[in-house]
Amino acid sequence: MLQETAFTKKKAEKKAMSGAELLLEALVKENVEVIFGYPGGAVLPIYDKLYDSKILHVLPRHEQGGIHAAEGYARITGKPGVVIATSGPGATNIVTGLTDAMMDSLPLVVFTGQVATGVIGTDAFQEADILGITTPITKYNYQVRNIEDIPRIVKEAFYIASSGRPGPVLIDIPKDMAASAAYVPDDVEVNLPGYQPNIQPNYLQIRKLTEAVSSAKRPVILAGAGVLHAKASEELKIYAEQQQIPVVHTLLGLGGFPANHPLFVGMAGMHGCYSANMALYECDLLVNIGARFDDRLTGNLQHFAPKATVAHIDIDPAEIGKNVPTQIPVVADAKEALTQLIAQEGRPPENKEWLNTIQEWKTKHPFHYEEDATLKPQKVMEMLYEKTNGDAIVVTDVGQHQMWAAQYYPLKNPDRWVTSGGLGTMGFGLPASIGAQLADPDACVLSISGDGGFQMCSQELAVIAELQLPIKIIILNNQALGMVRQWQEIFYQSRYSHSKFPTLPSFVKLAEAYGIKGYEIHTEEEAETILNQVLHNREPVLLDFRVNPDENVYPMIAPGKGIHEMVGVKE
């Protein structure tokens, strides 16, 4: 008789588990609290086991809504959002969300069902090559071909998604891999020799940056979302105060430095403030921390920071020097780099004149709009800020309202801003607010959309009603695709080709159809009264603000222009 091995003893002690059971066990070990998923034929073995699971499962009304909700959850918690979709159309419906998460560095672990291994490649019912489709838009992807690999793959996926520069990881699970059973050892280790994110900065580069700061006359920090992903907001504040360096934010970096701080300059870019854009144009040292020099930030690269030595701190070495030539590269986690910069205690720059100049810009050229008898969208944002004391989680869709929220709802704290930046995904806002509210159940969540983007995922009102999430759904309704209309007005001789909606539903009646209270608001007086009534109630509500349809977002940098060539600046 063969001698019994340790492994066969383990097999005797432990019952065989199906791939679906192994998957759910692995998710429990990763402390997954919520899954956003939509069932279908290829994932039925997984859903059968979910029936007995204690993990909260949220059923979106469209897979795209599910993955955007997972993005909102990930943005607030910093933990990977988890998604399940079936094969074929279920998998292809999440492609937009994967691309969005990849562009904005959000950690997701996404499971797609697949047809059984024996028919892969035969154009079987609801088969799609999701590995081929998603290779360019995921940080990594897998297809399970051995049941025994499931615990390892899941553990690796969570590690890859949340370490280094965060991003989405997809795991494709053929139906037979979920349904069949196997004996699998308990101990699983991550061993990825080819994936080693560089967390610690090079000391010589830290010294070089410290010396550059000491000798600068007009230094500025550009803080991006990398500060938030690294949980480095406090370190950024300490360093900026220590060295008395003004701080400019990207759109995705908002909240990483308090907007009410004397060193805060503002948001830069196409619709950024005059002071922030001019600070980037006139600086002699630009310290980029966790931003990728996106074209909507830089404008024409020939005119971007033309007088500056550029330092760039980033966890992703591929970003350094990609768009803007960089003299002081620092490949590192933002928190670690800032910690070491603080420890250097370098001599602060002699930049009082520079700080005075920036303050003059802020005073003379703030964001502005002309008040009249109509309801202005900027005024709505100011009222929301005032009545929430600036403490709400602000989730936006994409378009004019997104820029007005960024401009007129100054964020004091990190992880209170959820928006689609790199991909600019309309339809993102409403489902992302679901994930944000689940991530922080006690928060006041403002879901701000335009009438165009809201209609792309309005069916997710069902989830808000079902879970009684106290989200305040704000629609800035200008009866148009506002940003498209603005560009057509400015650059296409007011030829409004298919950018205005000839008909719109009653959003109030739509909300009521789902069991959510709704209000249509036409004046500041109505806004004042209704916001006082509903804003702090712990129940969902939809507010349809009928704002001035001709209002444009300013300042604005036209395509091809430099960051200093703004129009619509208050003189």
Side-chain angles (χ1 to χ4, degrees):
M1 187 173 177
L2 292 172
Q3 187 176 2
E4 200 172 32
T5 66
F7 182 62
T8 56
K9 282 182 180 177
K10 268 190 177 180
K11 286 173 72 174
E13 295 167 4
K14 184 178 180 181
K15 70 180 184 70
M17 297 177 69
S18 70
E21 289 172 316
L22 290 168
L23 169 61
L24 289 175
E25 183 180 72
L27 293 180
V28 169
K29 289 179 179 178
E30 294 296 334
N31 299 311
V32 171
E33 299 169 322
V34 58
I35 294 169
F36 302 91
Y38 204 99
V43 290
L44 282 180
I46 297 171
Y47 270 83
D48 184 60
K49 299 306 177 185
L50 268 172
Y51 189 83
D52 300 315
S53 175
K54 293 180 180 179
I55 299 174
L56 173 65
H57 181 277
V58 175
L59 176 68
R61 295 326 192 241
H62 190 286
E63 290 92 350
Q64 184 173 343
I67 194 165
H68 289 330
E71 289 184 272
Y73 178 87
R75 178 70 284 279
I76 296 301
T77 64
K79 303 193 310 186
V82 178
V83 180
I84 298 176
T86 195
S87 63
T92 59
N93 278 343
I94 62 170
V95 166
T96 298
L98 287 171
T99 314
D100 191 90
M102 188 70 175
M103 292 280 279
D104 287 353
S105 304
L106 293 174
L108 299 180
V109 177
V110 178
F111 299 93
T112 52
Q114 185 55 273
V115 299
T117 53
V119 292
I120 289 177
T122 68
D123 292 330
F125 177 66
Q126 291 194 331
E127 180 184 1
D129 178 13
I130 200 63
L131 286 191
I133 291 168
T134 64
T135 294
I137 55 170
T138 54
K139 192 173 176 183
Y140 198 70
N141 62 17
Y142 298 84
Q143 186 174 80
V144 176
R145 285 303 185 113
N146 293 294
I147 300 170
E148 295 86 350
D149 292 335
I150 289 175
R152 174 186 60 80
I153 287 173
V154 172
K155 194 174 185 67
E156 287 180 1
F158 275 84
Y159 174 70
I160 293 169
S162 55
S163 59
R165 179 178 180 172
V169 177
L170 181 136
I171 302 174
D172 195 39
I173 305 179
K175 187 172 183 178
D176 55 323
M177 291 293 103
S180 302
Y183 294 98
V184 180
D186 287 326
D187 300 327
V188 177
E189 294 183 2
V190 171
N191 181 25
L192 299 169
Y195 175 69
Q196 300 291 332
N198 190 24
I199 305 299
Q200 294 294 333
N202 181 292
Y203 177 77
L204 295 178
Q205 295 302 95
I206 291 292
R207 282 301 311 160
K208 189 174 181 181
L209 178 50
T210 300
E211 291 163 7
V213 168
S214 296
S215 60
K217 300 296 183 185
R218 302 185 307 279
V220 67
I221 291 171
L222 174 65
V227 172
L228 297 166
H229 295 313
K231 304 295 181 188
S233 297
E234 184 62 26
E235 286 78 9
L236 173 61
K237 182 171 176 286
I238 291 169
Y239 180 65
E241 290 175 343
Q242 181 195 72
Q243 298 298 312
Q244 285 297 292
I245 306 176
V247 178
V248 168
H249 262 315
T250 66
L251 173 69
L252 286 177
L254 291 172
F257 191 82
N260 57 357
H261 194 286
L263 289 171
F264 180 71
V265 184
M267 180 183 74
M270 178 173 281
H271 295 293
C273 64
Y274 180 89
S275 54
N277 285 340
M278 290 306 296
L280 293 178
Y281 183 70
E282 294 288 354
C283 68
D284 65 359
L285 176 66
L286 173 55
V287 183
N288 177 344
I289 308 175
R292 58 186 182 86
F293 286 131
D294 173 73
D295 62 290
R296 287 293 171 107
L297 168 79
T298 63
N300 189 323
L301 285 169
Q302 291 183 344
H303 301 291
F304 182 75
K307 308 166 188 178
T309 298
V310 176
H312 191 170
I313 299 169
D314 206 293
I315 192 90
D316 184 356
E319 290 297 341
I320 297 178
K322 185 179 80 174
N323 294 328
V324 175
T326 301
Q327 288 74 49
I328 308 175
V330 182
V331 179
D333 174 80
K335 191 182 188 81
E336 295 296 334
L338 282 164
T339 299
Q340 293 201 23
L341 285 168
I342 293 165
Q344 295 297 310
E345 296 184 347
R347 175 176 58 82
E350 297 176 5
N351 65 338
K352 286 186 179 179
E353 185 177 338
W354 175 236
L355 292 175
N356 290 336
T357 298
I358 289 175
Q359 187 56 50
E360 286 179 18
W361 288 335
K362 290 173 67 176
T363 302
K364 290 182 180 179
H365 308 290
F367 291 125
H368 75 289
Y369 61 96
E370 301 297 327
E371 296 195 60
D372 56 34
T374 64
L375 181 60
K376 290 297 182 83
Q378 301 95 325
K379 182 64 176 179
V380 175
M381 289 299 104
E382 289 177 333
M383 294 174 76
L384 289 170
Y385 177 81
E386 176 190 345
K387 294 181 183 304
T388 60
N389 194 34
D391 292 327
I393 291 176
V394 180
V395 186
T396 82
D397 212 270
V398 168
Q400 287 181 314
H401 70 275
Q402 177 188 30
M403 295 300 112
W404 285 319
Q407 292 175 344
Y408 291 94
Y409 198 103
L411 292 147
K412 301 180 289 186
N413 300 303
D415 304 324
R416 284 294 181 265
W417 174 247
V418 183
T419 197
S420 172
L423 195 62
T425 305
M426 288 179 66
F428 172 89
L430 186 67
S433 69
I434 294 171
Q437 188 74 79
L438 289 169
D440 191 344
D442 297 327
C444 172
V445 174
L446 303 177
S447 177
I448 303 172
S449 298
D451 46 300
F454 178 78
Q455 291 181 87
M456 289 192 170
C457 280
S458 63
Q459 72 279 351
E460 303 308 331
L461 287 170
V463 180
I464 294 172
E466 184 178 292
L467 300 179
Q468 276 299 289
L469 300 175
I471 298 167
K472 311 311 172 196
I473 303 155
I474 313 296
I475 301 175
L476 297 188
N477 188 343
N478 56 12
Q479 298 90 56
L481 299 172
M483 194 62 84
V484 176
R485 184 208 57 75
Q486 176 171 334
W487 277 56
Q488 288 174 338
E489 176 187 323
I490 297 171
F491 304 116
Y492 295 91
Q493 298 79 50
S494 296
R495 289 159 57 86
Y496 300 119
S497 179
H498 306 289
S499 59
K500 295 187 177 184
F501 292 117
T503 58
L504 282 173
S506 166
F507 294 125
V508 169
K509 289 182 178 178
L510 181 63
E512 289 172 349
Y514 284 104
I516 296 172
K517 288 182 181 178
Y519 299 85
E520 194 172 289
I521 301 168
H522 295 263
T523 67
E524 285 186 28
E525 292 74 19
E526 290 176 354
E528 182 79 23
T529 301
I530 292 170
L531 286 174
N532 287 337
Q533 287 176 6
V534 306
L535 209 49
H536 298 289
N537 293 344
R538 298 301 293 172
E539 59 184 20
V541 65
L542 181 145
L543 305 176
D544 180 6
F545 290 91
R546 297 304 182 96
V547 298
N548 187 314
D550 300 317
E551 197 70 11
N552 288 334
V553 180
Y554 290 116
M556 182 177 183
I557 301 170
K561 297 294 185 180
I563 199 167
H564 62 303
E565 298 176 290
M566 291 162 275
V567 296
V569 176
K570 183 175 183 180
E571 298 298 339

mmCIF file of all heavy atoms in Angstrom, residues 505-539:
data_model
loop_
_atom_site.group_PDB
_atom_site.id
_atom_site.type_symbol
_atom_site.label_atom_id
_atom_site.label_comp_id
_atom_site.label_asym_id
_atom_site.label_seq_id
_atom_site.Cartn_x
_atom_site.Cartn_y
_atom_site.Cartn_z
ATOM 1 N N PRO A 505 -38.093 63.585 -20.762
ATOM 2 C CA PRO A 505 -39.119 63.070 -19.850
ATOM 3 C C PRO A 505 -39.266 63.988 -18.647
ATOM 4 O O PRO A 505 -38.406 64.838 -18.390
ATOM 5 C CB PRO A 505 -38.549 61.713 -19.429
ATOM 6 C CG PRO A 505 -37.071 61.905 -19.505
ATOM 7 C CD PRO A 505 -36.845 62.819 -20.675
ATOM 8 N N SER A 506 -40.315 63.816 -17.905
ATOM 9 C CA SER A 506 -40.414 64.447 -16.595
ATOM 10 C C SER A 506 -39.561 63.633 -15.633
ATOM 11 O O SER A 506 -39.906 62.503 -15.279
ATOM 12 C CB SER A 506 -41.860 64.471 -16.105
ATOM 13 O OG SER A 506 -41.896 64.775 -14.727
ATOM 14 N N PHE A 507 -38.422 64.197 -15.235
ATOM 15 C CA PHE A 507 -37.542 63.463 -14.324
ATOM 16 C C PHE A 507 -38.204 63.265 -12.961
ATOM 17 O O PHE A 507 -37.937 62.270 -12.272
ATOM 18 C CB PHE A 507 -36.213 64.193 -14.172
ATOM 19 C CG PHE A 507 -35.389 64.225 -15.438
ATOM 20 C CD1 PHE A 507 -34.940 65.423 -15.966
ATOM 21 C CD2 PHE A 507 -35.075 63.055 -16.106
ATOM 22 C CE1 PHE A 507 -34.181 65.457 -17.131
ATOM 23 C CE2 PHE A 507 -34.327 63.069 -17.274
ATOM 24 C CZ PHE A 507 -33.879 64.278 -17.787
ATOM 25 N N VAL A 508 -39.072 64.191 -12.574
ATOM 26 C CA VAL A 508 -39.790 64.047 -11.308
ATOM 27 C C VAL A 508 -40.718 62.831 -11.369
ATOM 28 O O VAL A 508 -40.744 62.001 -10.453
ATOM 29 C CB VAL A 508 -40.580 65.336 -10.995
ATOM 30 C CG1 VAL A 508 -41.551 65.101 -9.832
ATOM 31 C CG2 VAL A 508 -39.630 66.472 -10.668
ATOM 32 N N LYS A 509 -41.475 62.709 -12.464
ATOM 33 C CA LYS A 509 -42.369 61.552 -12.599
ATOM 34 C C LYS A 509 -41.578 60.247 -12.720
ATOM 35 O O LYS A 509 -42.010 59.199 -12.230
ATOM 36 C CB LYS A 509 -43.284 61.742 -13.808
ATOM 37 C CG LYS A 509 -44.335 62.820 -13.610
ATOM 38 C CD LYS A 509 -45.248 62.934 -14.826
ATOM 39 C CE LYS A 509 -46.324 63.990 -14.600
ATOM 40 N NZ LYS A 509 -47.204 64.147 -15.786
ATOM 41 N N LEU A 510 -40.427 60.319 -13.396
ATOM 42 C CA LEU A 510 -39.580 59.131 -13.500
ATOM 43 C C LEU A 510 -39.123 58.682 -12.122
ATOM 44 O O LEU A 510 -39.172 57.490 -11.792
ATOM 45 C CB LEU A 510 -38.374 59.430 -14.397
ATOM 46 C CG LEU A 510 -37.397 58.270 -14.629
ATOM 47 C CD1 LEU A 510 -38.081 57.115 -15.349
ATOM 48 C CD2 LEU A 510 -36.181 58.746 -15.425
ATOM 49 N N ALA A 511 -38.679 59.644 -11.304
ATOM 50 C CA ALA A 511 -38.258 59.314 -9.939
ATOM 51 C C ALA A 511 -39.424 58.721 -9.156
ATOM 52 O O ALA A 511 -39.270 57.695 -8.457
ATOM 53 C CB ALA A 511 -37.723 60.564 -9.243
ATOM 54 N N GLU A 512 -40.592 59.321 -9.290
ATOM 55 C CA GLU A 512 -41.762 58.845 -8.553
ATOM 56 C C GLU A 512 -42.168 57.441 -9.005
ATOM 57 O O GLU A 512 -42.673 56.642 -8.209
ATOM 58 C CB GLU A 512 -42.916 59.825 -8.730
ATOM 59 C CG GLU A 512 -42.682 61.145 -7.993
ATOM 60 C CD GLU A 512 -43.728 62.202 -8.308
ATOM 61 O OE1 GLU A 512 -44.524 61.986 -9.251
ATOM 62 O OE2 GLU A 512 -43.740 63.242 -7.618
ATOM 63 N N ALA A 513 -41.925 57.135 -10.278
ATOM 64 C CA ALA A 513 -42.225 55.784 -10.775
ATOM 65 C C ALA A 513 -41.382 54.737 -10.066
ATOM 66 O O ALA A 513 -41.794 53.577 -9.935
ATOM 67 C CB ALA A 513 -41.995 55.720 -12.282
ATOM 68 N N TYR A 514 -40.186 55.138 -9.618
ATOM 69 C CA TYR A 514 -39.316 54.229 -8.869
ATOM 70 C C TYR A 514 -39.537 54.340 -7.357
ATOM 71 O O TYR A 514 -38.850 53.674 -6.585
ATOM 72 C CB TYR A 514 -37.850 54.526 -9.180
ATOM 73 C CG TYR A 514 -37.384 54.025 -10.532
ATOM 74 C CD1 TYR A 514 -37.216 54.900 -11.594
ATOM 75 C CD2 TYR A 514 -37.105 52.672 -10.734
ATOM 76 C CE1 TYR A 514 -36.778 54.448 -12.832
ATOM 77 C CE2 TYR A 514 -36.663 52.212 -11.961
ATOM 78 C CZ TYR A 514 -36.507 53.101 -13.009
ATOM 79 O OH TYR A 514 -36.073 52.646 -14.235
ATOM 80 N N GLY A 515 -40.442 55.217 -6.932
ATOM 81 C CA GLY A 515 -40.712 55.379 -5.507
ATOM 82 C C GLY A 515 -39.805 56.387 -4.827
ATOM 83 O O GLY A 515 -39.620 56.329 -3.606
ATOM 84 N N ILE A 516 -39.249 57.300 -5.596
ATOM 85 C CA ILE A 516 -38.356 58.335 -5.054
ATOM 86 C C ILE A 516 -39.030 59.693 -5.212
ATOM 87 O O ILE A 516 -39.568 60.010 -6.278
ATOM 88 C CB ILE A 516 -37.004 58.320 -5.790
ATOM 89 C CG1 ILE A 516 -36.273 56.997 -5.539
ATOM 90 C CG2 ILE A 516 -36.122 59.492 -5.367
ATOM 91 C CD1 ILE A 516 -35.016 56.811 -6.373
ATOM 92 N N LYS A 517 -38.993 60.504 -4.164
ATOM 93 C CA LYS A 517 -39.567 61.847 -4.250
ATOM 94 C C LYS A 517 -38.778 62.693 -5.240
ATOM 95 O O LYS A 517 -37.554 62.583 -5.333
ATOM 96 C CB LYS A 517 -39.543 62.523 -2.877
ATOM 97 C CG LYS A 517 -40.537 61.964 -1.882
ATOM 98 C CD LYS A 517 -40.462 62.724 -0.569
ATOM 99 C CE LYS A 517 -41.442 62.134 0.450
ATOM 100 N NZ LYS A 517 -41.342 62.828 1.764
ATOM 101 N N GLY A 518 -39.495 63.567 -5.947
ATOM 102 C CA GLY A 518 -38.847 64.436 -6.908
ATOM 103 C C GLY A 518 -39.413 65.839 -6.869
ATOM 104 O O GLY A 518 -40.588 66.039 -6.512
ATOM 105 N N TYR A 519 -38.566 66.809 -7.212
ATOM 106 C CA TYR A 519 -38.981 68.213 -7.239
ATOM 107 C C TYR A 519 -38.404 68.877 -8.483
ATOM 108 O O TYR A 519 -37.243 68.650 -8.835
ATOM 109 C CB TYR A 519 -38.472 68.966 -6.008
ATOM 110 C CG TYR A 519 -38.963 68.436 -4.685
ATOM 111 C CD1 TYR A 519 -38.306 67.369 -4.055
ATOM 112 C CD2 TYR A 519 -40.069 68.991 -4.051
ATOM 113 C CE1 TYR A 519 -38.743 66.876 -2.837
ATOM 114 C CE2 TYR A 519 -40.517 68.513 -2.828
ATOM 115 C CZ TYR A 519 -39.850 67.458 -2.227
ATOM 116 O OH TYR A 519 -40.288 66.970 -1.008
ATOM 117 N N GLU A 520 -39.217 69.700 -9.128
ATOM 118 C CA GLU A 520 -38.751 70.504 -10.248
ATOM 119 C C GLU A 520 -38.556 71.935 -9.741
ATOM 120 O O GLU A 520 -39.467 72.513 -9.144
ATOM 121 C CB GLU A 520 -39.784 70.460 -11.376
ATOM 122 C CG GLU A 520 -39.272 70.973 -12.703
ATOM 123 C CD GLU A 520 -40.268 70.720 -13.821
ATOM 124 O OE1 GLU A 520 -40.435 69.541 -14.202
ATOM 125 O OE2 GLU A 520 -40.878 71.701 -14.287
ATOM 126 N N ILE A 521 -37.376 72.497 -10.001
ATOM 127 C CA ILE A 521 -37.004 73.778 -9.395
ATOM 128 C C ILE A 521 -36.623 74.768 -10.490
ATOM 129 O O ILE A 521 -35.769 74.478 -11.331
ATOM 130 C CB ILE A 521 -35.824 73.577 -8.415
ATOM 131 C CG1 ILE A 521 -36.221 72.569 -7.325
ATOM 132 C CG2 ILE A 521 -35.390 74.902 -7.799
ATOM 133 C CD1 ILE A 521 -35.071 72.075 -6.482
ATOM 134 N N HIS A 522 -37.256 75.955 -10.447
ATOM 135 C CA HIS A 522 -37.056 76.947 -11.503
ATOM 136 C C HIS A 522 -36.391 78.229 -11.021
ATOM 137 O O HIS A 522 -35.855 78.970 -11.849
ATOM 138 C CB HIS A 522 -38.402 77.303 -12.144
ATOM 139 C CG HIS A 522 -39.038 76.161 -12.871
ATOM 140 N ND1 HIS A 522 -38.915 75.978 -14.233
ATOM 141 C CD2 HIS A 522 -39.787 75.124 -12.414
ATOM 142 C CE1 HIS A 522 -39.579 74.886 -14.590
ATOM 143 N NE2 HIS A 522 -40.121 74.354 -13.498
ATOM 144 N N THR A 523 -36.428 78.517 -9.719
ATOM 145 C CA THR A 523 -35.913 79.793 -9.210
ATOM 146 C C THR A 523 -35.022 79.572 -7.995
ATOM 147 O O THR A 523 -35.055 78.501 -7.364
ATOM 148 C CB THR A 523 -37.070 80.719 -8.790
ATOM 149 O OG1 THR A 523 -37.747 80.143 -7.644
ATOM 150 C CG2 THR A 523 -38.053 80.925 -9.929
ATOM 151 N N GLU A 524 -34.243 80.611 -7.668
ATOM 152 C CA GLU A 524 -33.399 80.540 -6.472
ATOM 153 C C GLU A 524 -34.249 80.387 -5.218
ATOM 154 O O GLU A 524 -33.866 79.679 -4.278
ATOM 155 C CB GLU A 524 -32.527 81.788 -6.360
ATOM 156 C CG GLU A 524 -31.366 81.827 -7.325
ATOM 157 C CD GLU A 524 -30.450 83.016 -7.086
ATOM 158 O OE1 GLU A 524 -30.381 83.479 -5.922
ATOM 159 O OE2 GLU A 524 -29.818 83.481 -8.044
ATOM 160 N N GLU A 525 -35.398 81.056 -5.198
ATOM 161 C CA GLU A 525 -36.274 80.979 -4.025
ATOM 162 C C GLU A 525 -36.778 79.558 -3.819
ATOM 163 O O GLU A 525 -36.789 79.035 -2.698
ATOM 164 C CB GLU A 525 -37.462 81.947 -4.189
ATOM 165 C CG GLU A 525 -37.102 83.418 -4.154
ATOM 166 C CD GLU A 525 -36.416 83.905 -5.420
ATOM 167 O OE1 GLU A 525 -36.531 83.221 -6.484
ATOM 168 O OE2 GLU A 525 -35.752 84.958 -5.373
ATOM 169 N N GLU A 526 -37.187 78.907 -4.919
ATOM 170 C CA GLU A 526 -37.612 77.506 -4.817
ATOM 171 C C GLU A 526 -36.462 76.622 -4.373
ATOM 172 O O GLU A 526 -36.637 75.713 -3.554
ATOM 173 C CB GLU A 526 -38.149 77.025 -6.170
ATOM 174 C CG GLU A 526 -39.474 77.633 -6.586
ATOM 175 C CD GLU A 526 -39.909 77.187 -7.975
ATOM 176 O OE1 GLU A 526 -39.138 76.494 -8.669
ATOM 177 O OE2 GLU A 526 -41.035 77.535 -8.358
ATOM 178 N N ALA A 527 -35.277 76.879 -4.926
ATOM 179 C CA ALA A 527 -34.098 76.093 -4.563
ATOM 180 C C ALA A 527 -33.805 76.210 -3.075
ATOM 181 O O ALA A 527 -33.528 75.207 -2.389
ATOM 182 C CB ALA A 527 -32.897 76.546 -5.384
ATOM 183 N N GLU A 528 -33.868 77.431 -2.568
ATOM 184 C CA GLU A 528 -33.601 77.671 -1.147
ATOM 185 C C GLU A 528 -34.575 76.884 -0.274
ATOM 186 O O GLU A 528 -34.168 76.185 0.669
ATOM 187 C CB GLU A 528 -33.734 79.175 -0.864
ATOM 188 C CG GLU A 528 -33.445 79.587 0.564
ATOM 189 C CD GLU A 528 -31.972 79.673 0.874
ATOM 190 O OE1 GLU A 528 -31.171 79.854 -0.064
ATOM 191 O OE2 GLU A 528 -31.612 79.556 2.059
ATOM 192 N N THR A 529 -35.838 76.977 -0.583
ATOM 193 C CA THR A 529 -36.862 76.312 0.228
ATOM 194 C C THR A 529 -36.728 74.797 0.190
ATOM 195 O O THR A 529 -36.735 74.117 1.226
ATOM 196 C CB THR A 529 -38.263 76.717 -0.268
ATOM 197 O OG1 THR A 529 -38.402 78.139 -0.169
ATOM 198 C CG2 THR A 529 -39.345 76.046 0.559
ATOM 199 N N ILE A 530 -36.595 74.256 -1.017
ATOM 200 C CA ILE A 530 -36.584 72.795 -1.166
ATOM 201 C C ILE A 530 -35.296 72.181 -0.633
ATOM 202 O O ILE A 530 -35.315 71.130 0.026
ATOM 203 C CB ILE A 530 -36.836 72.412 -2.640
ATOM 204 C CG1 ILE A 530 -38.272 72.785 -3.027
ATOM 205 C CG2 ILE A 530 -36.606 70.920 -2.869
ATOM 206 C CD1 ILE A 530 -38.579 72.684 -4.499
ATOM 207 N N LEU A 531 -34.163 72.833 -0.867
ATOM 208 C CA LEU A 531 -32.907 72.307 -0.331
ATOM 209 C C LEU A 531 -32.953 72.262 1.194
ATOM 210 O O LEU A 531 -32.475 71.298 1.811
ATOM 211 C CB LEU A 531 -31.722 73.149 -0.801
ATOM 212 C CG LEU A 531 -31.307 72.957 -2.268
ATOM 213 C CD1 LEU A 531 -30.214 73.952 -2.649
ATOM 214 C CD2 LEU A 531 -30.836 71.534 -2.532
ATOM 215 N N ASN A 532 -33.523 73.269 1.817
ATOM 216 C CA ASN A 532 -33.651 73.261 3.279
ATOM 217 C C ASN A 532 -34.529 72.112 3.754
ATOM 218 O O ASN A 532 -34.309 71.555 4.835
ATOM 219 C CB ASN A 532 -34.226 74.594 3.769
ATOM 220 C CG ASN A 532 -33.225 75.734 3.678
ATOM 221 O OD1 ASN A 532 -32.016 75.501 3.658
ATOM 222 N ND2 ASN A 532 -33.721 76.956 3.623
ATOM 223 N N GLN A 533 -35.506 71.738 2.943
ATOM 224 C CA GLN A 533 -36.432 70.663 3.325
ATOM 225 C C GLN A 533 -35.803 69.279 3.220
ATOM 226 O O GLN A 533 -36.031 68.417 4.070
ATOM 227 C CB GLN A 533 -37.677 70.700 2.431
ATOM 228 C CG GLN A 533 -38.643 71.837 2.704
ATOM 229 C CD GLN A 533 -39.794 71.847 1.715
ATOM 230 O OE1 GLN A 533 -39.919 70.936 0.884
ATOM 231 N NE2 GLN A 533 -40.627 72.868 1.770
ATOM 232 N N VAL A 534 -35.018 69.051 2.145
ATOM 233 C CA VAL A 534 -34.672 67.665 1.795
ATOM 234 C C VAL A 534 -33.205 67.302 1.970
ATOM 235 O O VAL A 534 -32.874 66.110 2.030
ATOM 236 C CB VAL A 534 -35.067 67.367 0.329
ATOM 237 C CG1 VAL A 534 -36.532 67.693 0.080
ATOM 238 C CG2 VAL A 534 -34.179 68.126 -0.659
ATOM 239 N N LEU A 535 -32.338 68.286 2.059
ATOM 240 C CA LEU A 535 -30.910 67.979 1.929
ATOM 241 C C LEU A 535 -30.377 67.101 3.046
ATOM 242 O O LEU A 535 -29.463 66.301 2.844
ATOM 243 C CB LEU A 535 -30.106 69.278 1.840
ATOM 244 C CG LEU A 535 -28.796 69.225 1.055
ATOM 245 C CD1 LEU A 535 -28.964 68.578 -0.302
ATOM 246 C CD2 LEU A 535 -28.221 70.630 0.891
ATOM 247 N N HIS A 536 -30.936 67.228 4.232
ATOM 248 C CA HIS A 536 -30.400 66.458 5.356
ATOM 249 C C HIS A 536 -31.317 65.328 5.803
ATOM 250 O O HIS A 536 -31.111 64.716 6.845
ATOM 251 C CB HIS A 536 -30.096 67.404 6.525
ATOM 252 C CG HIS A 536 -29.045 68.427 6.177
ATOM 253 N ND1 HIS A 536 -27.712 68.096 6.017
ATOM 254 C CD2 HIS A 536 -29.136 69.748 5.915
ATOM 255 C CE1 HIS A 536 -27.029 69.182 5.692
ATOM 256 N NE2 HIS A 536 -27.864 70.206 5.622
ATOM 257 N N ASN A 537 -32.344 65.045 4.997
ATOM 258 C CA ASN A 537 -33.174 63.867 5.260
ATOM 259 C C ASN A 537 -32.433 62.602 4.840
ATOM 260 O O ASN A 537 -31.691 62.607 3.859
ATOM 261 C CB ASN A 537 -34.500 63.949 4.479
ATOM 262 C CG ASN A 537 -35.387 65.068 4.989
ATOM 263 O OD1 ASN A 537 -35.172 65.583 6.082
ATOM 264 N ND2 ASN A 537 -36.378 65.444 4.203
ATOM 265 N N ARG A 538 -32.648 61.530 5.559
ATOM 266 C CA ARG A 538 -31.971 60.267 5.241
ATOM 267 C C ARG A 538 -32.834 59.421 4.317
ATOM 268 O O ARG A 538 -33.180 58.264 4.599
ATOM 269 C CB ARG A 538 -31.622 59.504 6.525
ATOM 270 C CG ARG A 538 -30.672 60.215 7.453
ATOM 271 C CD ARG A 538 -29.339 60.534 6.785
ATOM 272 N NE ARG A 538 -28.589 59.326 6.491
ATOM 273 C CZ ARG A 538 -27.469 59.294 5.771
ATOM 274 N NH1 ARG A 538 -26.990 60.417 5.253
ATOM 275 N NH2 ARG A 538 -26.834 58.162 5.555
ATOM 276 N N GLU A 539 -33.195 60.018 3.178
ATOM 277 C CA GLU A 539 -33.936 59.280 2.154
ATOM 278 C C GLU A 539 -33.548 59.841 0.795
ATOM 279 O O GLU A 539 -33.112 60.997 0.683
ATOM 280 C CB GLU A 539 -35.442 59.418 2.373
ATOM 281 C CG GLU A 539 -35.952 60.845 2.345
ATOM 282 C CD GLU A 539 -37.428 60.950 2.669
ATOM 283 O OE1 GLU A 539 -37.976 60.001 3.274
ATOM 284 O OE2 GLU A 539 -38.033 61.975 2.321
#
